[in-house]
Amino acid sequence: MTTAIPALTLNNGVEMPAVGLGVFQTPPDETIGAVEAALSVGYRHIDTAAAYGNEREVGEAIRRSGLDRSDVFIETKVWISDYGYDETLHSFEKSAAKLDVEQIDLLILHQPLPSEFARTVAAYRALEALLSDGKVRAIGVSNFLPVYLESLLAQVDVVPAVNQIELHPYFTQVETRELDARHGILTQAWSPIGGITSYRDGMPKRTFDDPTILAIADAHGKTAAQVMLRWHVQQGRSAIPKSVRPERIAENFDVFDFELSDAELAAIDGLDAGVRGGPEPADVNLENFGRPIPEA
Ligand code: NDP
């Protein structure tokens, strides 16, 4: 087991570990165990969200670990129901109180709200204020396709540090990645090992069963998940795999001791099927996805 944690430098100089633990769909009563397992094998980055309902448990696990607060990079997200300037400032207060921290390392908007984009921009303006007040160390967005990113960039001052998007071998989002790169925005992969191709009904095929990935894994004595994570790391992306199982949490972090060849990276790039597993960003609105985020 390695404890080396390559860091990525965000566009404002803040450093973020390249691989973190995601906790979407991790029930609150399993979150403390999962985060503790991760921290014990060397993870120092946790990705949660106001909408996941487990920020309190993420904070509790970090406290129980005995690590200094500054040793763990905490990323969380503002839910669409809290968009708007004052609402988003209050969303920070709720998340910080649940996490029991003074400062959040990276706070991002969970989704664009295309039907009410002015509210999305106002929410981002609140993130800018939190950044200048030192309440957060970096700010960003998630699920911002080029059309939304371009529109946001035209209306705000601070270029997002991160755009967290669905990104796995079957959905590689080249256009969004290229736009991110052009603006110095780090692309962060959600569902980095294609979990959504397994847990979402109706997906055509599972990344874990892919013959190309399995052959590469076999050649390196690694698992399919490890190969997919290595593919992200070598291409300079952040990845936040989720698991509640300690053995998989450890497996997903054990990706820093092997190297994929250019041909192997290209072979994985070539698996893109262009099929999105998550919601179409254009379809997300307050009517179908809105729900209140509880007070702390
Ligand atoms: P992942 O690609 O991380 O896959 C997670 C799934 O794969 C789970 O079902 C997990 O099951 C299983 N799994 C984990 N490790 C292994 C392994 N080594 N071998 C086989 N199976 C494995 O997908 P997620 O969609 O969970 O995405 C990861 C994170 O990204 C989330 O937790 C969240 O932080 C973020 N995210 C953000 C979104 C956004 O809109 N911004 C949307 C979705 C996710 P088990 O737990 O049983 O091990």
PDB file of all heavy atoms in Angstrom, residues 12 22 30 35 51 55 96 107 159 181 201 228 241 260 273 278 280:
ATOM      1  N   ASN A  12      -5.758  28.840  -8.527  1.00  0.00           N
ATOM      2  CA  ASN A  12      -5.398  29.911  -7.581  1.00  0.00           C
ATOM      3  C   ASN A  12      -4.255  29.482  -6.664  1.00  0.00           C
ATOM      4  O   ASN A  12      -4.014  30.105  -5.632  1.00  0.00           O
ATOM      5  CB  ASN A  12      -6.614  30.324  -6.750  1.00  0.00           C
ATOM      6  CG  ASN A  12      -7.119  29.205  -5.848  1.00  0.00           C
ATOM      7  OD1 ASN A  12      -6.664  28.071  -5.950  1.00  0.00           O
ATOM      8  ND2 ASN A  12      -8.043  29.518  -4.969  1.00  0.00           N
ATOM      9  N   GLY A  22     -15.378   9.799  -2.793  1.00  0.00           N
ATOM     10  CA  GLY A  22     -16.718  10.348  -2.995  1.00  0.00           C
ATOM     11  C   GLY A  22     -17.706   9.650  -2.067  1.00  0.00           C
ATOM     12  O   GLY A  22     -17.548   8.465  -1.765  1.00  0.00           O
ATOM     13  N   GLU A  30     -23.241   4.797   7.208  1.00  0.00           N
ATOM     14  CA  GLU A  30     -22.042   4.116   6.692  1.00  0.00           C
ATOM     15  C   GLU A  30     -20.930   5.110   6.347  1.00  0.00           C
ATOM     16  O   GLU A  30     -19.831   4.717   5.960  1.00  0.00           O
ATOM     17  CB  GLU A  30     -22.389   3.306   5.435  1.00  0.00           C
ATOM     18  CG  GLU A  30     -23.296   2.120   5.716  1.00  0.00           C
ATOM     19  CD  GLU A  30     -23.621   1.358   4.440  1.00  0.00           C
ATOM     20  OE1 GLU A  30     -22.684   0.931   3.737  1.00  0.00           O
ATOM     21  OE2 GLU A  30     -24.824   1.201   4.148  1.00  0.00           O
ATOM     22  N   VAL A  35     -15.323   6.989   5.490  1.00  0.00           N
ATOM     23  CA  VAL A  35     -14.324   8.077   5.519  1.00  0.00           C
ATOM     24  C   VAL A  35     -13.155   7.690   6.420  1.00  0.00           C
ATOM     25  O   VAL A  35     -11.988   7.939   6.080  1.00  0.00           O
ATOM     26  CB  VAL A  35     -14.981   9.410   5.950  1.00  0.00           C
ATOM     27  CG1 VAL A  35     -13.932  10.508   6.134  1.00  0.00           C
ATOM     28  CG2 VAL A  35     -16.026   9.847   4.916  1.00  0.00           C
ATOM     29  N   ALA A  51     -26.559  18.040  -0.753  1.00  0.00           N
ATOM     30  CA  ALA A  51     -27.664  17.161  -1.141  1.00  0.00           C
ATOM     31  C   ALA A  51     -27.447  15.697  -0.750  1.00  0.00           C
ATOM     32  O   ALA A  51     -28.378  14.898  -0.833  1.00  0.00           O
ATOM     33  CB  ALA A  51     -27.889  17.253  -2.653  1.00  0.00           C
ATOM     34  N   GLU A  55     -22.938  15.308   5.302  1.00  0.00           N
ATOM     35  CA  GLU A  55     -21.818  16.210   5.651  1.00  0.00           C
ATOM     36  C   GLU A  55     -21.454  16.086   7.126  1.00  0.00           C
ATOM     37  O   GLU A  55     -20.278  16.133   7.489  1.00  0.00           O
ATOM     38  CB  GLU A  55     -22.189  17.668   5.334  1.00  0.00           C
ATOM     39  CG  GLU A  55     -22.230  17.985   3.845  1.00  0.00           C
ATOM     40  CD  GLU A  55     -22.769  19.379   3.568  1.00  0.00           C
ATOM     41  OE1 GLU A  55     -23.841  19.727   4.112  1.00  0.00           O
ATOM     42  OE2 GLU A  55     -22.132  20.124   2.811  1.00  0.00           O
ATOM     43  N   ALA A  96     -20.903  24.321   6.531  1.00  0.00           N
ATOM     44  CA  ALA A  96     -19.778  24.464   7.463  1.00  0.00           C
ATOM     45  C   ALA A  96     -20.180  23.990   8.857  1.00  0.00           C
ATOM     46  O   ALA A  96     -19.390  23.333   9.560  1.00  0.00           O
ATOM     47  CB  ALA A  96     -19.300  25.914   7.492  1.00  0.00           C
ATOM     48  N   LEU A 107     -15.691  24.687  -2.573  1.00  0.00           N
ATOM     49  CA  LEU A 107     -17.156  24.734  -2.591  1.00  0.00           C
ATOM     50  C   LEU A 107     -17.587  24.958  -4.035  1.00  0.00           C
ATOM     51  O   LEU A 107     -17.125  25.915  -4.681  1.00  0.00           O
ATOM     52  CB  LEU A 107     -17.659  25.869  -1.683  1.00  0.00           C
ATOM     53  CG  LEU A 107     -19.169  25.979  -1.491  1.00  0.00           C
ATOM     54  CD1 LEU A 107     -19.750  24.707  -0.852  1.00  0.00           C
ATOM     55  CD2 LEU A 107     -19.525  27.185  -0.615  1.00  0.00           C
ATOM     56  N   VAL A 159     -12.536  32.766 -12.296  1.00  0.00           N
ATOM     57  CA  VAL A 159     -12.657  31.543 -13.107  1.00  0.00           C
ATOM     58  C   VAL A 159     -12.767  30.355 -12.148  1.00  0.00           C
ATOM     59  O   VAL A 159     -11.979  30.248 -11.196  1.00  0.00           O
ATOM     60  CB  VAL A 159     -11.425  31.374 -14.026  1.00  0.00           C
ATOM     61  CG1 VAL A 159     -11.486  30.056 -14.789  1.00  0.00           C
ATOM     62  CG2 VAL A 159     -11.326  32.555 -14.985  1.00  0.00           C
ATOM     63  N   ALA A 181      -9.763  23.104 -19.930  1.00  0.00           N
ATOM     64  CA  ALA A 181      -8.307  23.272 -20.031  1.00  0.00           C
ATOM     65  C   ALA A 181      -7.960  24.659 -20.570  1.00  0.00           C
ATOM     66  O   ALA A 181      -7.030  25.318 -20.088  1.00  0.00           O
ATOM     67  CB  ALA A 181      -7.715  22.190 -20.922  1.00  0.00           C
ATOM     68  N   ASP A 201     -30.035   1.704 -13.794  1.00  0.00           N
ATOM     69  CA  ASP A 201     -30.758   0.754 -14.643  1.00  0.00           C
ATOM     70  C   ASP A 201     -30.710   1.205 -16.098  1.00  0.00           C
ATOM     71  O   ASP A 201     -30.730   2.397 -16.381  1.00  0.00           O
ATOM     72  CB  ASP A 201     -32.231   0.662 -14.214  1.00  0.00           C
ATOM     73  CG  ASP A 201     -32.373  -0.007 -12.858  1.00  0.00           C
ATOM     74  OD1 ASP A 201     -31.425  -0.704 -12.452  1.00  0.00           O
ATOM     75  OD2 ASP A 201     -33.411   0.208 -12.211  1.00  0.00           O
ATOM     76  N   MET A 228      -8.758   2.342 -14.464  1.00  0.00           N
ATOM     77  CA  MET A 228      -9.529   3.550 -14.810  1.00  0.00           C
ATOM     78  C   MET A 228      -9.046   4.753 -13.993  1.00  0.00           C
ATOM     79  O   MET A 228      -8.945   5.869 -14.502  1.00  0.00           O
ATOM     80  CB  MET A 228     -11.018   3.302 -14.592  1.00  0.00           C
ATOM     81  CG  MET A 228     -11.608   2.342 -15.610  1.00  0.00           C
ATOM     82  SD  MET A 228     -13.399   2.162 -15.462  1.00  0.00           S
ATOM     83  CE  MET A 228     -13.523   0.719 -14.396  1.00  0.00           C
ATOM     84  N   PRO A 241     -13.485   8.402  -6.576  1.00  0.00           N
ATOM     85  CA  PRO A 241     -14.261   7.152  -6.532  1.00  0.00           C
ATOM     86  C   PRO A 241     -14.975   6.965  -5.197  1.00  0.00           C
ATOM     87  O   PRO A 241     -14.437   7.345  -4.157  1.00  0.00           O
ATOM     88  CB  PRO A 241     -13.177   6.078  -6.724  1.00  0.00           C
ATOM     89  CG  PRO A 241     -11.919   6.716  -6.212  1.00  0.00           C
ATOM     90  CD  PRO A 241     -12.042   8.166  -6.602  1.00  0.00           C
ATOM     91  N   LEU A 260       0.525   3.478 -17.071  1.00  0.00           N
ATOM     92  CA  LEU A 260      -0.065   3.019 -18.331  1.00  0.00           C
ATOM     93  C   LEU A 260       0.729   3.606 -19.491  1.00  0.00           C
ATOM     94  O   LEU A 260       1.190   4.757 -19.417  1.00  0.00           O
ATOM     95  CB  LEU A 260      -1.529   3.475 -18.426  1.00  0.00           C
ATOM     96  CG  LEU A 260      -2.478   2.962 -17.337  1.00  0.00           C
ATOM     97  CD1 LEU A 260      -3.864   3.603 -17.476  1.00  0.00           C
ATOM     98  CD2 LEU A 260      -2.592   1.446 -17.377  1.00  0.00           C
ATOM     99  N   ALA A 273     -18.472   5.926 -25.485  1.00  0.00           N
ATOM    100  CA  ALA A 273     -19.702   5.567 -26.189  1.00  0.00           C
ATOM    101  C   ALA A 273     -20.646   6.761 -26.274  1.00  0.00           C
ATOM    102  O   ALA A 273     -21.722   6.672 -26.866  1.00  0.00           O
ATOM    103  CB  ALA A 273     -20.389   4.405 -25.461  1.00  0.00           C
ATOM    104  N   GLY A 278     -25.786  10.206 -16.028  1.00  0.00           N
ATOM    105  CA  GLY A 278     -26.466  11.129 -15.117  1.00  0.00           C
ATOM    106  C   GLY A 278     -27.523  11.932 -15.841  1.00  0.00           C
ATOM    107  O   GLY A 278     -27.716  11.796 -17.054  1.00  0.00           O
ATOM    108  N   GLU A 280     -29.451  14.742 -17.821  1.00  0.00           N
ATOM    109  CA  GLU A 280     -29.063  15.713 -18.838  1.00  0.00           C
ATOM    110  C   GLU A 280     -29.069  17.093 -18.166  1.00  0.00           C
ATOM    111  O   GLU A 280     -30.112  17.500 -17.634  1.00  0.00           O
ATOM    112  CB  GLU A 280     -30.092  15.642 -19.968  1.00  0.00           C
ATOM    113  CG  GLU A 280     -29.684  16.257 -21.284  1.00  0.00           C
ATOM    114  CD  GLU A 280     -28.409  15.687 -21.860  1.00  0.00           C
ATOM    115  OE1 GLU A 280     -28.311  14.457 -22.054  1.00  0.00           O
ATOM    116  OE2 GLU A 280     -27.489  16.494 -22.100  1.00  0.00           O
TER     117      GLU A 280
END
